[in-house]
Amino acid sequence: MAQPPVEDIAVSRDWASARLFSAIVNSSDDAIVGESLDGMITSWNPAAEGMYGYAAAEIIGRPAAVLCALCGEGEGQETLARIGRGEHVPHYETYRRRKDGTDFPASVTVSPIRDEAGRLIGASTITRDVTEQVHARTAAEVVHRADDLRRANGSLESFTYSVSHDLRAPLRAMSGFSTALLEEYGDVLGEDGRGYAGRIVVASEHMAALIDNLLRLSRLSRTEMQLDPVDLGAEAAQIAAELQDEDPGRRTRFTIQRPVQVQADRALMRMVLHNLLGNAWKFTSGRDDALIEFGTAAADDAPVCYYVRDNGAGFDPAYTHKLFSPFQRLHPASEFPGTGIGLAIVRLIVERHGGRVWAEGAVGAGAAFYFTLAEEKST
Amino acid sequence: MTSRPILLVEDNPDDVALTLRALKKNNILNPINVASDGAEALTFLFDGDDTQAREPGLILLDLKLPKVDGLEVLRRIKAGKRTSLIPVVILTSSKLEEDILSGYRNGANAYVRKPVNFAEFAEAIKTLGLFWLLLNEPVPE
Protein backbone atom coordinates (compact mmCIF):
# COMPACT_ATOMS: atom_id res chain seq x y z
CA MET A 1 0.00 0.00 0.00
CA ALA A 2 1.36 3.23 -1.00
CA GLN A 3 1.37 5.78 1.73
CA PRO A 4 0.54 9.32 0.78
CA PRO A 5 3.71 11.34 0.83
CA VAL A 6 4.14 13.06 4.18
CA GLU A 7 5.32 16.24 2.49
CA ASP A 8 2.08 16.52 0.52
CA ILE A 9 -0.04 16.47 3.66
CA ALA A 10 2.19 19.06 5.21
CA VAL A 11 1.97 21.16 2.08
CA SER A 12 -1.81 20.97 1.92
CA ARG A 13 -2.03 21.75 5.63
CA ASP A 14 0.38 24.66 5.07
CA TRP A 15 -1.66 25.74 2.13
CA ALA A 16 -4.87 25.74 4.17
CA SER A 17 -3.32 27.65 7.01
CA ALA A 18 -1.68 30.08 4.61
CA ARG A 19 -5.11 30.78 3.14
CA LEU A 20 -6.47 31.31 6.63
CA PHE A 21 -3.63 33.67 7.52
CA SER A 22 -4.06 35.50 4.27
CA ALA A 23 -7.79 35.91 4.98
CA ILE A 24 -7.00 37.29 8.45
CA VAL A 25 -4.44 39.71 7.07
CA ASN A 26 -6.73 40.85 4.28
CA SER A 27 -9.69 41.47 6.55
CA SER A 28 -7.72 43.31 9.22
CA ASP A 29 -8.46 47.00 9.90
CA ASP A 30 -4.78 47.50 10.66
CA ALA A 31 -2.28 47.98 7.86
CA ILE A 32 -0.06 44.89 7.76
CA VAL A 33 3.03 45.40 5.65
CA GLY A 34 5.86 42.97 5.06
CA GLU A 35 9.32 44.14 4.22
CA SER A 36 12.59 42.51 3.32
CA LEU A 37 15.76 42.87 5.33
CA ASP A 38 16.94 45.64 3.03
CA GLY A 39 13.77 47.63 3.77
CA MET A 40 11.79 46.93 0.57
CA ILE A 41 8.03 46.35 0.80
CA THR A 42 7.11 42.73 0.04
CA SER A 43 3.44 42.50 1.00
CA TRP A 44 0.58 44.96 1.34
CA ASN A 45 -2.92 44.27 2.72
CA PRO A 46 -6.15 46.12 1.73
CA ALA A 47 -6.16 48.09 5.01
CA ALA A 48 -2.70 49.41 4.10
CA GLU A 49 -4.09 50.60 0.78
CA GLY A 50 -6.95 52.38 2.55
CA MET A 51 -4.66 53.92 5.14
CA TYR A 52 -1.79 55.07 2.91
CA GLY A 53 -3.50 55.48 -0.45
CA TYR A 54 -1.09 53.25 -2.41
CA ALA A 55 -2.34 50.19 -4.32
CA ALA A 56 -0.36 46.99 -3.69
CA ALA A 57 0.94 46.96 -7.26
CA GLU A 58 2.49 50.41 -7.04
CA ILE A 59 4.08 50.08 -3.60
CA ILE A 60 5.46 46.52 -3.49
CA GLY A 61 9.17 46.62 -4.21
CA ARG A 62 9.55 50.22 -3.07
CA PRO A 63 11.40 51.19 0.13
CA ALA A 64 9.22 51.14 3.27
CA ALA A 65 10.83 54.44 4.23
CA VAL A 66 8.36 56.30 1.95
CA LEU A 67 5.66 55.52 4.55
CA CYS A 68 7.70 56.86 7.38
CA ALA A 69 7.20 60.52 8.35
CA LEU A 70 10.04 60.58 10.87
CA CYS A 71 12.56 58.30 9.16
CA GLY A 72 14.76 61.31 8.54
CA GLU A 73 15.01 61.54 12.33
CA GLY A 74 16.42 58.03 12.74
CA GLU A 75 13.26 56.09 13.52
CA GLY A 76 13.67 53.59 10.64
CA GLN A 77 17.32 52.75 11.28
CA GLU A 78 16.77 51.99 14.91
CA THR A 79 13.78 49.74 14.25
CA LEU A 80 15.69 47.93 11.50
CA ALA A 81 18.65 47.43 13.81
CA ARG A 82 16.45 45.87 16.48
CA ILE A 83 14.76 43.62 13.92
CA GLY A 84 18.24 42.68 12.64
CA ARG A 85 19.03 41.43 16.13
CA GLY A 86 15.82 39.38 15.95
CA GLU A 87 13.98 41.52 18.49
CA HIS A 88 10.25 42.20 18.46
CA VAL A 89 9.54 45.95 18.57
CA PRO A 90 6.45 46.44 20.76
CA HIS A 91 3.95 49.03 19.70
CA TYR A 92 5.08 52.62 19.74
CA GLU A 93 3.51 55.86 18.54
CA THR A 94 4.89 57.74 15.60
CA TYR A 95 3.79 59.45 12.40
CA ARG A 96 3.22 57.81 9.02
CA ARG A 97 3.06 59.47 5.61
CA ARG A 98 0.25 58.92 3.07
CA LYS A 99 0.68 58.89 -0.69
CA ASP A 100 -0.67 62.47 -0.83
CA GLY A 101 2.13 63.63 1.47
CA THR A 102 -0.01 64.15 4.57
CA ASP A 103 1.04 62.60 7.88
CA PHE A 104 -1.09 60.86 10.47
CA PRO A 105 -0.39 59.63 14.00
CA ALA A 106 0.05 55.87 14.12
CA SER A 107 0.58 53.10 16.61
CA VAL A 108 3.14 50.66 15.14
CA THR A 109 4.31 47.13 16.02
CA VAL A 110 7.21 45.54 14.16
CA SER A 111 8.07 41.82 14.34
CA PRO A 112 10.82 39.80 12.68
CA ILE A 113 9.83 37.18 10.09
CA ARG A 114 11.84 33.95 9.93
CA ASP A 115 11.89 31.10 7.43
CA GLU A 116 11.44 27.43 8.37
CA ALA A 117 15.10 27.16 9.28
CA GLY A 118 14.72 30.10 11.68
CA ARG A 119 16.69 32.49 9.48
CA LEU A 120 15.64 36.09 9.58
CA ILE A 121 14.14 37.04 6.21
CA GLY A 122 12.25 40.25 6.88
CA ALA A 123 9.87 42.15 9.11
CA SER A 124 6.16 42.63 9.39
CA THR A 125 4.77 45.96 10.48
CA ILE A 126 1.28 46.38 11.90
CA THR A 127 0.10 49.97 11.81
CA ARG A 128 -3.04 51.45 13.32
CA ASP A 129 -4.23 54.97 12.53
CA VAL A 130 -4.72 56.64 15.94
CA THR A 131 -5.83 60.08 14.68
CA GLU A 132 -9.09 59.90 16.59
CA GLN A 133 -7.47 58.77 19.83
CA VAL A 134 -4.90 61.57 19.55
CA HIS A 135 -7.62 64.14 18.90
CA ALA A 136 -9.59 62.90 21.90
CA ARG A 137 -6.45 63.03 24.02
CA THR A 138 -5.59 66.55 22.82
CA ALA A 139 -9.13 67.74 23.43
CA ALA A 140 -9.00 66.34 26.97
CA GLU A 141 -5.68 68.10 27.51
CA VAL A 142 -7.05 71.41 26.25
CA VAL A 143 -10.02 71.13 28.59
CA HIS A 144 -7.67 70.27 31.43
CA ARG A 145 -5.41 73.27 30.71
CA ALA A 146 -8.39 75.60 30.36
CA ASP A 147 -9.57 74.41 33.77
CA ASP A 148 -6.15 75.10 35.25
CA LEU A 149 -6.10 78.55 33.72
CA ARG A 150 -9.60 79.30 34.95
CA ARG A 151 -8.60 78.25 38.44
CA ALA A 152 -5.45 80.39 38.30
CA ASN A 153 -7.41 83.40 37.03
CA GLY A 154 -10.05 82.81 39.65
CA SER A 155 -7.53 82.91 42.46
CA LEU A 156 -5.89 85.97 40.90
CA GLU A 157 -9.32 87.57 40.77
CA SER A 158 -10.00 86.93 44.45
CA PHE A 159 -6.46 88.05 45.29
CA THR A 160 -7.09 91.30 43.41
CA TYR A 161 -10.32 91.70 45.32
CA SER A 162 -8.64 91.18 48.69
CA VAL A 163 -5.89 93.60 47.81
CA SER A 164 -8.28 96.31 46.74
CA HIS A 165 -10.64 95.84 49.65
CA ASP A 166 -8.76 94.50 52.64
CA LEU A 167 -5.54 96.46 52.29
CA ARG A 168 -7.27 99.78 51.87
CA ALA A 169 -9.38 99.52 55.03
CA PRO A 170 -6.46 99.72 57.52
CA LEU A 171 -4.94 102.54 55.51
CA ARG A 172 -8.17 104.47 55.77
CA ALA A 173 -8.09 103.95 59.54
CA MET A 174 -4.47 105.16 59.73
CA SER A 175 -5.21 108.26 57.70
CA GLY A 176 -8.57 108.88 59.36
CA PHE A 177 -7.50 108.60 62.98
CA SER A 178 -4.27 110.52 62.41
CA THR A 179 -6.42 113.28 60.97
CA ALA A 180 -8.72 113.01 63.99
CA LEU A 181 -5.70 113.35 66.29
CA LEU A 182 -4.54 116.40 64.37
CA GLU A 183 -7.95 118.04 64.38
CA GLU A 184 -9.02 117.27 67.93
CA TYR A 185 -5.77 116.99 69.87
CA GLY A 186 -3.45 119.06 67.71
CA ASP A 187 -2.66 121.53 70.49
CA VAL A 188 -1.80 118.72 72.93
CA LEU A 189 0.45 117.01 70.36
CA GLY A 190 2.71 119.96 69.86
CA GLU A 191 4.52 120.80 66.68
CA ASP A 192 6.59 117.58 66.46
CA GLY A 193 3.57 115.42 67.26
CA ARG A 194 1.54 117.13 64.55
CA GLY A 195 4.40 116.52 62.16
CA TYR A 196 4.45 112.81 62.98
CA ALA A 197 0.69 112.46 62.58
CA GLY A 198 0.97 114.30 59.28
CA ARG A 199 3.57 111.80 58.12
CA ILE A 200 1.19 108.91 58.88
CA VAL A 201 -1.46 110.59 56.74
CA VAL A 202 0.95 111.08 53.83
CA ALA A 203 2.40 107.56 54.10
CA SER A 204 -1.00 105.87 54.14
CA GLU A 205 -2.03 107.78 51.04
CA HIS A 206 1.21 106.83 49.34
CA MET A 207 0.60 103.18 50.12
CA ALA A 208 -2.95 103.44 48.79
CA ALA A 209 -1.50 104.79 45.55
CA LEU A 210 0.99 101.90 45.41
CA ILE A 211 -1.81 99.37 45.85
CA ASP A 212 -3.88 101.00 43.12
CA ASN A 213 -0.90 100.92 40.76
CA LEU A 214 -0.20 97.28 41.53
CA LEU A 215 -3.81 96.49 40.69
CA ARG A 216 -3.54 98.44 37.44
CA LEU A 217 -0.44 96.47 36.53
CA SER A 218 -2.16 93.17 37.24
CA ARG A 219 -5.23 94.19 35.25
CA LEU A 220 -3.06 95.41 32.33
CA SER A 221 -1.44 92.01 32.02
CA ARG A 222 -4.88 90.40 31.67
CA THR A 223 -6.83 92.80 29.42
CA GLU A 224 -7.22 91.73 25.82
CA MET A 225 -5.35 93.73 23.22
CA GLN A 226 -7.00 95.22 20.17
CA LEU A 227 -4.58 95.95 17.35
CA ASP A 228 -5.37 98.95 15.15
CA PRO A 229 -3.34 101.32 13.00
CA VAL A 230 -2.03 104.01 15.35
CA ASP A 231 0.01 107.14 14.58
CA LEU A 232 2.38 107.27 17.55
CA GLY A 233 3.51 110.76 16.48
CA ALA A 234 -0.04 112.13 16.64
CA GLU A 235 -0.58 110.49 20.05
CA ALA A 236 2.72 111.91 21.33
CA ALA A 237 1.82 115.39 20.10
CA GLN A 238 -1.53 115.22 21.88
CA ILE A 239 0.08 114.12 25.15
CA ALA A 240 2.69 116.89 24.83
CA ALA A 241 -0.12 119.44 24.42
CA GLU A 242 -1.85 118.08 27.53
CA LEU A 243 1.36 118.31 29.56
CA GLN A 244 1.86 121.93 28.47
CA ASP A 245 -1.75 122.78 29.30
CA GLU A 246 -1.29 121.52 32.84
CA ASP A 247 1.70 123.80 33.39
CA PRO A 248 1.48 126.68 30.93
CA GLY A 249 4.25 128.62 32.69
CA ARG A 250 6.93 126.11 31.68
CA ARG A 251 9.14 126.67 28.67
CA THR A 252 9.75 123.26 27.14
CA ARG A 253 10.45 122.46 23.52
CA PHE A 254 8.95 119.30 22.01
CA THR A 255 10.28 117.77 18.78
CA ILE A 256 7.89 115.12 17.57
CA GLN A 257 8.26 113.06 14.40
CA ARG A 258 5.02 112.57 12.46
CA PRO A 259 3.52 110.38 11.24
CA VAL A 260 4.85 107.25 12.92
CA GLN A 261 2.38 104.60 11.82
CA VAL A 262 2.25 101.31 13.78
CA GLN A 263 -0.14 98.43 14.34
CA ALA A 264 -0.85 98.37 18.08
CA ASP A 265 -3.42 98.73 20.86
CA ARG A 266 -4.15 102.44 20.91
CA ALA A 267 -5.09 102.80 24.58
CA LEU A 268 -2.03 100.84 25.70
CA MET A 269 0.34 102.76 23.41
CA ARG A 270 -1.06 106.01 24.77
CA MET A 271 -0.22 104.72 28.23
CA VAL A 272 3.36 103.98 27.10
CA LEU A 273 3.81 107.44 25.59
CA HIS A 274 2.07 109.10 28.51
CA ASN A 275 4.50 107.47 30.94
CA LEU A 276 7.62 108.15 28.86
CA LEU A 277 6.73 111.74 27.94
CA GLY A 278 5.43 112.36 31.47
CA ASN A 279 8.76 111.16 32.87
CA ALA A 280 10.69 113.33 30.42
CA TRP A 281 8.51 116.28 31.44
CA LYS A 282 9.05 115.55 35.13
CA PHE A 283 12.81 115.09 34.90
CA THR A 284 13.37 118.23 32.80
CA SER A 285 11.40 120.41 35.21
CA GLY A 286 14.56 122.09 36.49
CA ARG A 287 15.79 123.23 33.06
CA ASP A 288 15.12 126.46 31.19
CA ASP A 289 16.15 124.90 27.87
CA ALA A 290 14.18 121.66 28.32
CA LEU A 291 13.96 119.62 25.13
CA ILE A 292 11.83 116.48 24.75
CA GLU A 293 11.95 114.44 21.55
CA PHE A 294 9.92 111.61 20.11
CA GLY A 295 11.06 109.80 16.98
CA THR A 296 12.27 106.63 15.30
CA ALA A 297 15.77 105.22 14.94
CA ALA A 298 17.55 102.13 13.61
CA ALA A 299 17.52 99.03 15.84
CA ASP A 300 19.53 95.78 15.91
CA ASP A 301 16.67 93.33 16.29
CA ALA A 302 13.75 95.14 14.65
CA PRO A 303 13.20 97.20 11.48
CA VAL A 304 12.91 100.33 13.60
CA CYS A 305 12.72 101.46 17.20
CA TYR A 306 10.88 104.37 18.80
CA TYR A 307 12.39 106.69 21.35
CA VAL A 308 11.56 109.40 23.83
CA ARG A 309 14.63 111.47 24.71
CA ASP A 310 15.11 114.39 27.06
CA ASN A 311 17.92 116.60 28.34
CA GLY A 312 16.82 116.43 31.98
CA ALA A 313 18.18 114.97 35.20
CA GLY A 314 19.08 111.62 33.61
CA PHE A 315 20.09 108.62 35.70
CA ASP A 316 23.13 106.66 36.79
CA PRO A 317 23.67 104.00 34.07
CA ALA A 318 24.82 101.58 36.78
CA TYR A 319 21.16 101.23 37.77
CA THR A 320 19.68 100.84 34.28
CA HIS A 321 18.59 97.26 35.06
CA LYS A 322 16.45 98.48 37.96
CA LEU A 323 14.57 101.09 35.95
CA PHE A 324 11.82 98.82 34.67
CA SER A 325 11.05 96.95 37.89
CA PRO A 326 7.91 97.94 39.78
CA PHE A 327 8.40 100.44 42.59
CA GLN A 328 12.07 101.07 41.79
CA ARG A 329 12.94 104.71 41.97
CA LEU A 330 16.31 106.26 41.24
CA HIS A 331 15.43 109.70 42.56
CA PRO A 332 14.23 110.75 46.00
CA ALA A 333 10.46 111.35 46.09
CA SER A 334 11.08 114.81 47.50
CA GLU A 335 12.91 115.76 44.29
CA PHE A 336 10.72 114.01 41.71
CA PRO A 337 7.38 112.60 42.93
CA GLY A 338 6.04 109.23 41.80
CA THR A 339 5.36 105.67 42.88
CA GLY A 340 7.85 103.98 40.54
CA ILE A 341 5.27 102.06 38.54
CA GLY A 342 5.36 103.98 35.23
CA LEU A 343 8.27 102.21 33.55
CA ALA A 344 7.07 98.80 34.76
CA ILE A 345 3.81 99.54 32.95
CA VAL A 346 5.76 100.61 29.84
CA ARG A 347 7.73 97.37 29.83
CA LEU A 348 4.64 95.23 30.33
CA ILE A 349 2.80 96.88 27.44
CA VAL A 350 5.79 96.82 25.07
CA GLU A 351 6.43 93.15 25.83
CA ARG A 352 2.78 92.32 25.28
CA HIS A 353 3.25 93.86 21.82
CA GLY A 354 6.18 91.49 21.24
CA GLY A 355 8.78 94.23 21.56
CA ARG A 356 11.42 95.21 24.08
CA VAL A 357 12.34 98.39 25.91
CA TRP A 358 15.70 99.76 27.00
CA ALA A 359 17.18 102.99 28.27
CA GLU A 360 20.31 105.09 27.96
CA GLY A 361 21.28 107.95 30.20
CA ALA A 362 23.79 109.64 32.47
CA VAL A 363 23.40 111.76 35.56
CA GLY A 364 22.67 115.33 34.53
CA ALA A 365 22.89 114.48 30.83
CA GLY A 366 19.31 113.43 30.09
CA ALA A 367 17.71 110.09 29.39
CA ALA A 368 16.51 108.21 26.31
CA PHE A 369 13.99 105.39 26.33
CA TYR A 370 13.73 103.10 23.31
CA PHE A 371 11.18 100.45 22.43
CA THR A 372 10.36 98.15 19.56
CA LEU A 373 7.07 96.55 18.55
CA ALA A 374 6.55 93.21 16.84
CA GLU A 375 3.85 94.51 14.50
CA GLU A 376 5.86 96.73 12.24
CA LYS A 377 4.41 99.14 9.71
CA SER A 378 6.56 102.19 9.94
CA THR A 379 6.48 104.95 7.36
CA MET B 1 -38.10 114.82 56.60
CA THR B 2 -34.37 115.44 57.00
CA SER B 3 -34.36 113.80 60.41
CA ARG B 4 -35.14 110.35 59.03
CA PRO B 5 -32.48 107.96 60.25
CA ILE B 6 -29.51 106.73 58.28
CA LEU B 7 -28.77 103.01 58.30
CA LEU B 8 -25.04 102.34 58.11
CA VAL B 9 -24.24 98.73 57.21
CA GLU B 10 -20.54 98.32 57.94
CA ASP B 11 -18.58 95.56 59.64
CA ASN B 12 -15.30 97.41 60.19
CA PRO B 13 -15.48 99.35 63.49
CA ASP B 14 -12.80 101.78 62.27
CA ASP B 15 -14.88 102.63 59.23
CA VAL B 16 -17.96 102.98 61.44
CA ALA B 17 -16.12 105.43 63.71
CA LEU B 18 -14.76 107.39 60.75
CA THR B 19 -18.14 107.55 59.03
CA LEU B 20 -19.83 108.74 62.24
CA ARG B 21 -17.11 111.36 62.70
CA ALA B 22 -17.47 112.53 59.09
CA LEU B 23 -21.24 112.84 59.49
CA LYS B 24 -20.84 114.80 62.72
CA LYS B 25 -18.17 117.08 61.28
CA ASN B 26 -20.50 117.91 58.43
CA ASN B 27 -23.41 118.63 60.77
CA ILE B 28 -25.49 115.77 59.48
CA LEU B 29 -27.40 115.16 62.69
CA ASN B 30 -29.90 112.50 61.61
CA PRO B 31 -30.16 109.52 63.93
CA ILE B 32 -27.81 106.76 62.81
CA ASN B 33 -28.38 103.04 63.14
CA VAL B 34 -25.39 100.79 62.62
CA ALA B 35 -25.67 97.17 61.47
CA SER B 36 -22.36 95.35 61.65
CA ASP B 37 -23.20 92.59 59.21
CA GLY B 38 -25.72 91.75 56.49
CA ALA B 39 -27.93 89.59 58.68
CA GLU B 40 -28.23 92.36 61.26
CA ALA B 41 -29.19 94.83 58.53
CA LEU B 42 -31.95 92.52 57.29
CA THR B 43 -33.25 91.93 60.81
CA PHE B 44 -33.31 95.67 61.40
CA LEU B 45 -35.19 96.34 58.17
CA PHE B 46 -37.61 93.44 58.08
CA ASP B 47 -38.13 91.97 61.55
CA GLY B 48 -38.55 95.08 63.65
CA ASP B 49 -41.86 96.60 64.64
CA ASP B 50 -43.34 98.08 61.55
CA THR B 51 -43.18 101.77 62.43
CA GLN B 52 -42.23 104.62 60.13
CA ALA B 53 -39.78 105.89 62.74
CA ARG B 54 -37.38 103.05 61.98
CA GLU B 55 -37.61 103.45 58.23
CA PRO B 56 -34.25 104.83 57.10
CA GLY B 57 -34.13 107.79 54.75
CA LEU B 58 -30.80 106.54 53.42
CA ILE B 59 -28.86 103.29 53.57
CA LEU B 60 -25.06 103.34 53.37
CA LEU B 61 -24.08 99.80 52.44
CA ASP B 62 -20.67 98.13 52.45
CA LEU B 63 -20.34 95.24 49.99
CA LYS B 64 -18.05 92.81 51.78
CA LEU B 65 -19.95 91.85 54.89
CA PRO B 66 -19.95 88.84 57.19
CA LYS B 67 -22.91 86.39 57.10
CA VAL B 68 -25.01 87.97 54.34
CA ASP B 69 -22.97 89.98 51.84
CA GLY B 70 -23.83 93.49 50.68
CA LEU B 71 -25.21 92.52 47.28
CA GLU B 72 -27.64 90.06 48.86
CA VAL B 73 -28.75 92.72 51.37
CA LEU B 74 -29.26 95.07 48.44
CA ARG B 75 -31.33 92.50 46.52
CA ARG B 76 -33.55 91.92 49.56
CA ILE B 77 -34.00 95.65 50.15
CA LYS B 78 -34.97 96.24 46.52
CA ALA B 79 -37.31 93.22 46.54
CA GLY B 80 -39.08 94.31 49.73
CA LYS B 81 -42.34 96.17 49.16
CA ARG B 82 -41.75 98.63 51.98
CA THR B 83 -37.98 99.01 51.51
CA SER B 84 -37.62 99.06 47.73
CA LEU B 85 -37.81 102.84 47.47
CA ILE B 86 -35.22 103.67 50.13
CA PRO B 87 -32.12 105.09 48.43
CA VAL B 88 -29.15 102.74 48.86
CA VAL B 89 -25.62 104.06 48.42
CA ILE B 90 -22.92 101.42 48.14
CA LEU B 91 -19.95 102.64 50.14
CA THR B 92 -17.05 100.27 49.67
CA SER B 93 -13.30 99.89 49.18
CA SER B 94 -13.71 98.02 45.93
CA LYS B 95 -13.64 99.64 42.54
CA LEU B 96 -13.75 96.37 40.66
CA GLU B 97 -15.88 96.80 37.56
CA GLU B 98 -17.81 93.64 38.41
CA ASP B 99 -18.75 95.01 41.83
CA ILE B 100 -19.85 98.36 40.43
CA LEU B 101 -21.90 96.65 37.71
CA SER B 102 -23.60 94.18 40.01
CA GLY B 103 -24.27 97.02 42.45
CA TYR B 104 -26.20 98.96 39.81
CA ARG B 105 -27.82 95.84 38.34
CA ASN B 106 -29.24 95.05 41.76
CA GLY B 107 -30.74 98.50 42.06
CA ALA B 108 -28.14 100.56 43.95
CA ASN B 109 -28.88 104.29 43.72
CA ALA B 110 -25.21 105.26 43.86
CA TYR B 111 -21.78 103.69 44.19
CA VAL B 112 -19.00 105.47 46.08
CA ARG B 113 -15.51 104.18 46.68
CA LYS B 114 -14.27 105.10 50.15
CA PRO B 115 -11.20 107.30 49.77
CA VAL B 116 -8.20 106.50 51.98
CA ASN B 117 -7.60 110.16 52.76
CA PHE B 118 -9.93 111.28 55.56
CA ALA B 119 -10.47 114.77 54.17
CA GLU B 120 -11.69 113.22 50.91
CA PHE B 121 -13.71 110.62 52.82
CA ALA B 122 -15.41 113.34 54.90
CA GLU B 123 -16.11 115.31 51.73
CA ALA B 124 -17.70 112.24 50.13
CA ILE B 125 -19.92 111.63 53.19
CA LYS B 126 -20.90 115.29 53.22
CA THR B 127 -21.83 115.28 49.54
CA LEU B 128 -23.83 112.07 49.97
CA GLY B 129 -25.65 113.40 53.04
CA LEU B 130 -26.43 116.73 51.42
CA PHE B 131 -27.69 115.17 48.23
CA TRP B 132 -29.74 112.26 49.53
CA LEU B 133 -31.08 113.80 52.74
CA LEU B 134 -31.50 117.41 51.73
CA LEU B 135 -31.41 118.11 48.02
CA ASN B 136 -33.02 114.98 46.66
CA GLU B 137 -36.82 114.96 46.96
CA PRO B 138 -37.73 111.63 48.60
CA VAL B 139 -40.58 109.35 47.56
CA PRO B 140 -43.83 110.73 49.08
CA GLU B 141 -44.98 108.78 52.14
Side-chain angles (χ1 to χ4, degrees):
Chain A
M1 289 276 286
Q3 296 261 326
V6 173
E7 290 88 341
D8 279 3
I9 295 172
V11 164
S12 73
R13 208 181 274 150
D14 277 356
W15 185 75
S17 66
R19 263 181 43 146
L20 182 63
F21 278 129
S22 158
I24 291 171
V25 167
N26 285 339
S27 64
S28 169
D29 283 341
D30 293 338
I32 302 176
V33 176
E35 56 185 278
S36 59
L37 280 180
D38 58 357
M40 295 300 166
I41 293 171
T42 53
S43 72
W44 190 254
N45 74 340
E49 179 170 348
M51 199 177 290
Y52 289 100
Y54 294 101
E58 59 179 326
I59 194 73
I60 286 177
R62 288 181 61 187
V66 299
L67 309 175
C68 186
L70 303 174
C71 277
E73 290 158 41
E75 183 197 320
Q77 288 92 308
E78 204 208 310
T79 309
L80 228 56
R82 291 183 64 178
I83 291 296
R85 291 195 298 271
E87 290 173 32
H88 169 80
V89 180
H91 87 91
Y92 62 98
E93 285 201 5
T94 180
Y95 282 86
R96 285 289 181 252
R97 184 157 295 162
R98 298 187 186 94
K99 186 182 178 184
D100 65 8
T102 56
D103 295 341
F104 61 94
S107 169
V108 175
T109 308
V110 188
S111 320
I113 302 176
R114 296 170 191 282
D115 66 7
E116 286 150 40
R119 282 189 303 262
L120 195 65
I121 54 167
S124 107
T125 304
I126 302 179
T127 305
R128 176 168 294 179
D129 183 339
V130 292
T131 305
E132 273 174 34
Q133 288 91 318
V134 167
H135 280 175
R137 216 157 54 205
T138 314
E141 248 167 57
V142 167
V143 168
H144 185 70
R145 294 231 177 116
D147 278 351
D148 282 353
L149 196 63
R150 237 191 315 277
R151 259 195 300 279
N153 272 340
S155 58
L156 192 63
E157 217 48 72
S158 61
F159 171 74
T160 306
Y161 190 91
S162 295
V163 168
S164 83
H165 194 102
D166 298 352
L167 292 190
R168 282 176 68 89
L171 291 175
R172 199 161 45 243
M174 282 157 65
S175 166
F177 293 114
S178 309
T179 308
L181 272 180
L182 281 170
E183 289 176 1
E184 281 159 42
Y185 301 93
D187 46 350
V188 189
L189 285 177
E191 196 181 330
D192 281 353
R194 285 194 295 273
Y196 299 151
R199 281 168 187 253
I200 299 176
V201 172
V202 171
S204 42
E205 275 164 47
H206 182 65
M207 184 160 167
L210 291 178
I211 293 171
D212 282 351
N213 282 331
L214 203 57
L215 288 175
R216 269 171 61 206
L217 203 59
S218 120
R219 201 157 302 162
L220 265 182
S221 58
R222 283 180 295 140
T223 47
E224 281 201 12
M225 295 210 300
Q226 194 196 328
L227 297 183
D228 291 311
V230 182
D231 178 359
L232 292 184
E235 301 293 338
Q238 201 184 341
I239 293 164
E242 286 166 16
L243 288 168
Q244 278 172 324
D245 279 351
E246 282 169 25
D247 194 355
R250 256 187 73 167
R251 282 192 10 237
T252 302
R253 206 151 57 83
F254 280 94
T255 310
I256 290 171
Q257 181 182 330
R258 292 180 68 173
V260 175
Q261 209 63 41
V262 298
Q263 191 74 13
D265 185 291
R266 179 183 303 275
L268 293 182
M269 286 324 293
R270 263 192 81 84
M271 217 177 283
V272 166
L273 292 171
H274 203 276
N275 276 303
L276 293 180
L277 291 166
N279 274 351
W281 178 261
K282 183 161 72 180
F283 291 112
T284 51
S285 61
R287 297 189 68 106
D288 291 336
D289 60 342
L291 172 65
I292 298 172
E293 299 166 84
F294 169 77
T296 60
D300 298 338
D301 55 352
V304 67
C305 71
Y306 314 91
Y307 65 83
V308 171
R309 189 185 298 149
D310 68 63
N311 59 352
F315 58 87
D316 184 343
Y319 301 116
T320 309
H321 62 286
K322 287 186 144 188
L323 276 174
F324 297 98
S325 304
F327 307 129
Q328 289 289 346
R329 309 193 68 253
L330 299 185
H331 298 273
S334 53
E335 203 177 332
F336 297 106
T339 56
I341 198 78
L343 289 177
I345 287 177
V346 168
R347 181 172 73 175
L348 187 79
I349 294 173
V350 166
E351 286 177 358
R352 284 203 67 189
H353 281 83
R356 64 185 190 97
V357 59
W358 67 99
E360 289 168 3
V363 173
F369 289 85
Y370 301 86
F371 62 95
T372 59
L373 299 171
E375 301 289 331
E376 212 51 72
K377 274 185 194 168
S378 185
T379 51
Chain B
M1 184 62 55
T2 54
S3 67
R4 284 168 95 184
I6 296 170
L7 173 61
L8 173 63
V9 190
E10 172 63 69
D11 64 317
N12 183 331
D14 288 342
D15 278 348
V16 172
L18 291 173
T19 308
L20 296 181
R21 184 163 184 272
L23 289 166
K24 197 171 108 193
K25 269 192 78 75
N26 290 306
N27 291 317
I28 299 171
L29 302 171
N30 303 49
I32 295 153
N33 297 298
V34 179
S36 56
D37 62 54
E40 208 176 293
L42 292 174
T43 307
F44 178 86
L45 286 168
F46 294 106
D47 296 348
D49 47 81
D50 205 357
T51 61
Q52 287 294 325
R54 289 169 61 86
E55 193 98 318
L58 174 66
I59 297 173
L60 300 176
L61 178 66
D62 191 13
L63 278 186
K64 204 180 175 194
L65 293 168
K67 296 178 188 171
V68 182
D69 81 2
L71 283 179
E72 181 57 26
V73 173
L74 176 62
R75 269 191 286 272
R76 300 275 289 276
I77 291 171
K78 292 300 175 185
K81 196 175 158 207
R82 205 164 39 82
T83 52
S84 64
L85 297 175
I86 304 172
V88 179
V89 175
I90 292 177
L91 194 59
T92 179
S93 290
S94 164
K95 63 166 183 185
L96 285 186
E97 264 175 42
E98 304 89 282
D99 282 343
I100 301 175
L101 266 177
S102 27
Y104 283 120
R105 286 215 174 100
N106 285 290
N109 299 78
Y111 189 109
V112 175
R113 192 194 192 202
K114 297 175 202 164
V116 161
N117 177 298
F118 182 76
E120 292 168 28
F121 183 70
E123 189 61 33
I125 294 291
K126 177 185 168 188
T127 311
L128 283 174
L130 283 183
F131 179 80
W132 289 105
L133 297 167
L134 213 57
L135 185 61
N136 185 50
E137 203 66 56
V139 178
E141 287 178 35

